[in-house]
Amino acid sequence: MHNRRRSSFFSNGIPIVAGTAVALLLLWAFWPIISFTFPSPRHTINFKAKGHSYKIFPDINHTIVTGVLNFNLTHDPPEPTFYDDPELTYTINKPIKNWDEKRQEWLSLHPRFISGLEERVMLVTGSQSKACQNPIGDHLLLRFFKNKVDYCRIHGYDIFYNNVLFHPEMFTYWAKIPTVRAAMLAHPEAEWIWWVDSDAVFTDMDFKLPLKRYKNHNFVVHGWPEMIYKKKSWTGLNAGVFLIRNSQWALDFMDVWSGMGPQTPNYEKWGKILKETCKDKFFPESDDQTGLVYLLLKEKEKWGNKIYVEDEYYFEGYWEEIVGKLEKINEKYNTIEQKVRILRRRHAEKMREGYYALLEEYLGGVGYGIEGWRRPFMTHFTGCQPCSGTHNESYSVQKCWDAMKKVLNFADNQVLRAYGFVHPSLGDSSSVVPLPFDYPS
């Protein structure tokens, strides 16, 4: 009997142990990319106030994705990729071919980056390498940059700030193109590269890009189709903020777009062509914005079907339209929170997305634009030139600086609230006050 038990153990136990070991090895191998979804517990977080019972997010599913914070950044597989090709260059003077295949091959060797790829955005911005001529210019640029860092931290985006020319002859507004191109190569894990001018401010810190809207497009820019196609105006769009997909299409498009720039022998020729195309253009130099309008007008079949001209919200908004409405917008949002107790509940900064989703239900059909009172997504200080100080003569220096201060503090208050403080006035950048419990009851 003793021998039989022992024989039975070895005949049945070993396969069980072996099978368990194999299962554990498979689980260990795939653990970094496995995700688990747990239904939200309907009665986990309850509280009562003034005779009413409240439940926190009873209908939202909470997804835990293991491995999101566990990328193994110390191991780069030895198999060769485009990074090992001595012919590939980051500079804009040499075209890149088969980028989609090269990027896909890199991702196949780094599969942990595949999960969430379609939603992965990298923000790119920058300024000049020298100190600003405007005495407060460097301080303003610091605050503009802080605003972008805050937004990226809240939404989990990477950010790259560049203050050098990646092509010595591509200056001012043309400098963004070689920077964006280099960012695509440096970050194959990012599906979108988002260029944002240094003088643009995120004004709604919770709003996220509606990326699903752009699933069939490779380039997104703020503009007005009627002004582009009917009036042929160089201000029919604004090229200071754009979203571009990390793709071969994008590289080819930027090669054509940059072909109008100051690094080419046809720079002066393009200046004349663009001025003839857009009659309202008042300066002779070839510029990126008019060049983009030209490509939409003259090469629409080749490029236009993949370019989304966004005009439904402030993808970037002209500051003079926005700054005078900020106090009224604050009042409207506070009124909603005063009526909805759950929106006033203090919470960790990491949890703000759920509260914003709830706020959306109460905002309802409230619109953007001049007539609406939603927070503008982004405020662009076109013409103010915070670094050089050579502003548009149609408004004063003081008007620009006061508006910048107001908009930056408006955005900063949305951030500081998670830390228990706010600026008491939008015109006061230096002081804050602690928030009382249950603000703004």
Side-chain angles (χ1 to χ4, degrees):
M1 293 295 290
H2 176 75
N3 289 336
R4 285 181 185 176
R5 289 195 189 99
R6 184 167 182 171
S7 175
S8 176
F9 172 79
F10 279 96
S11 62
N12 298 325
I14 289 178
I16 292 172
V17 171
T20 303
V22 170
L24 288 172
L25 284 171
L26 287 172
L27 181 61
W28 175 81
F30 289 100
W31 185 260
I33 58 174
I34 295 175
S35 66
F36 302 95
T37 302
F38 300 95
S40 172
R42 293 181 175 273
H43 304 287
T44 301
I45 305 176
N46 294 338
F47 66 96
K48 294 182 179 181
K50 298 181 179 179
H52 297 282
S53 297
Y54 298 90
K55 289 181 288 187
I56 306 299
F57 313 137
D59 298 317
I60 295 177
N61 282 347
H62 298 282
T63 302
I64 300 174
V65 181
T66 66
V68 170
L69 299 178
N70 295 314
F71 288 127
N72 185 357
L73 301 179
T74 64
H75 175 65
D76 199 7
E79 291 83 357
T81 68
F82 64 89
Y83 287 116
D84 301 294
D85 180 3
E87 298 299 317
L88 185 140
T89 174
Y90 291 82
T91 57
I92 201 164
N93 57 314
K94 188 175 182 179
I96 294 175
K97 301 299 182 184
N98 303 316
W99 174 243
D100 292 338
E101 292 79 9
K102 291 173 181 176
R103 181 171 171 245
Q104 184 61 45
E105 182 181 6
W106 185 91
L107 287 168
S108 70
L109 294 171
H110 302 79
R112 295 183 178 187
F113 289 104
I114 295 176
S115 177
L117 178 65
E118 290 295 320
E119 301 289 320
R120 192 168 296 128
V121 177
M122 178 166 187
L123 191 145
V124 180
T125 185
S127 61
Q128 64 186 43
S129 57
K130 298 179 180 179
C132 292
Q133 295 178 353
N134 175 19
I136 62 170
D138 291 307
H139 171 72
L140 289 171
L141 288 184
L142 177 63
R143 291 208 62 192
F144 279 114
F145 182 52
K146 177 194 177 299
N147 169 262
K148 295 174 179 66
V149 170
D150 282 337
Y151 183 86
C152 288
R153 183 187 67 256
I154 288 168
H155 297 285
Y157 296 159
D158 286 335
I159 184 170
F160 172 58
Y161 191 101
N162 183 36
N163 68 339
V164 294
L165 295 177
F166 282 173
H167 192 295
E169 296 177 33
M170 297 186 76
F171 43 80
T172 61
Y173 28 74
W174 287 106
K176 63 172 77 81
I177 296 178
T179 302
V180 167
R181 184 184 188 274
M184 287 185 176
L185 272 62
H187 288 272
E189 82 287 352
E191 180 69 9
W192 295 96
I193 303 296
W194 189 7
W195 173 265
V196 180
D197 271 358
S198 61
D199 60 352
V201 180
F202 288 101
T203 330
D204 187 339
M205 302 302 287
D206 292 298
F207 184 88
K208 293 185 72 171
L209 290 168
L211 294 176
K212 291 182 180 179
R213 182 186 300 184
Y214 312 134
K215 65 180 180 179
N216 297 321
H217 296 83
N218 294 331
F219 190 93
V220 183
V221 66
H222 190 214
W224 303 267
E226 183 177 351
M227 289 185 66
I228 296 170
Y229 297 111
K230 290 185 178 180
K231 297 182 179 180
K232 299 180 179 179
S233 171
W234 81 284
T235 59
L237 54 81
N238 190 298
V241 178
F242 62 81
L243 188 68
I244 189 166
R245 193 184 295 275
N246 196 346
S247 62
Q248 183 64 51
W249 182 98
L251 293 173
D252 293 342
F253 178 72
M254 287 190 291
D255 285 342
V256 173
W257 191 12
S258 63
M260 307 174 189
Q263 83 286 2
T264 69
N266 298 320
Y267 180 53
E268 291 186 11
K269 177 184 175 182
W270 272 112
K272 294 176 182 178
I273 293 173
L274 297 181
K275 202 167 187 302
E276 290 172 1
T277 303
C278 298
K279 304 297 184 182
D280 61 341
K281 178 176 162 65
F282 58 87
F283 55 95
E285 295 83 14
S286 172
D287 69 290
D288 65 323
Q289 184 165 296
T290 314
L292 187 52
V293 172
Y294 177 89
L295 291 174
L296 285 171
L297 289 172
K298 303 297 184 180
E299 299 186 24
K300 185 178 180 181
E301 289 188 6
K302 185 175 183 179
W303 308 110
N305 291 334
K306 290 294 182 179
I307 296 177
Y308 193 107
V309 180
E310 180 62 81
D311 64 348
E312 293 187 22
Y313 67 94
Y314 278 123
F315 188 75
E316 61 81 42
Y318 181 47
W319 63 275
E320 279 203 299
E321 290 181 6
I322 292 171
V323 67
K325 304 193 305 176
L326 297 182
E327 282 90 351
K328 189 71 173 178
I329 291 171
N330 263 343
E331 290 177 11
K332 293 286 188 179
Y333 277 68
N334 284 344
T335 298
I336 292 175
E337 293 192 30
Q338 286 166 359
K339 295 177 181 178
V340 185
R341 172 73 173 84
I342 191 174
L343 292 176
R344 304 197 300 273
R345 184 172 186 255
R346 294 190 296 198
H347 54 272
E349 187 177 59
K350 290 289 187 184
M351 302 305 297
R352 63 188 296 155
E353 186 173 349
Y355 287 85
Y356 182 71
L358 187 60
L359 174 63
E360 277 290 316
E361 297 180 15
Y362 292 91
L363 289 173
V366 176
Y368 293 94
I370 298 175
E371 302 301 324
W373 50 268
R374 276 182 179 263
R375 291 171 182 156
F377 179 39
M378 193 181 301
T379 304
H380 196 178
F381 284 91
T382 306
C384 275
Q385 301 294 331
C387 188
S388 68
T390 55
H391 61 91
N392 190 312
E393 294 181 359
S394 63
Y395 30 77
S396 68
V397 175
Q398 195 61 46
K399 185 175 182 180
C400 277
W401 303 163
D402 289 345
M404 288 179 189
K405 185 189 302 182
K406 205 171 197 179
V407 170
L408 286 165
N409 290 339
F410 179 84
D412 204 30
N413 272 351
Q414 296 169 53
V415 177
L416 291 176
R417 181 170 175 178
Y419 297 82
F421 294 85
V422 291
H423 297 287
S425 166
L426 295 185
D428 184 359
S429 299
S430 58
S431 62
V432 293
V433 294
L435 287 174
F437 184 78
D438 206 30
Y439 175 86
S441 59

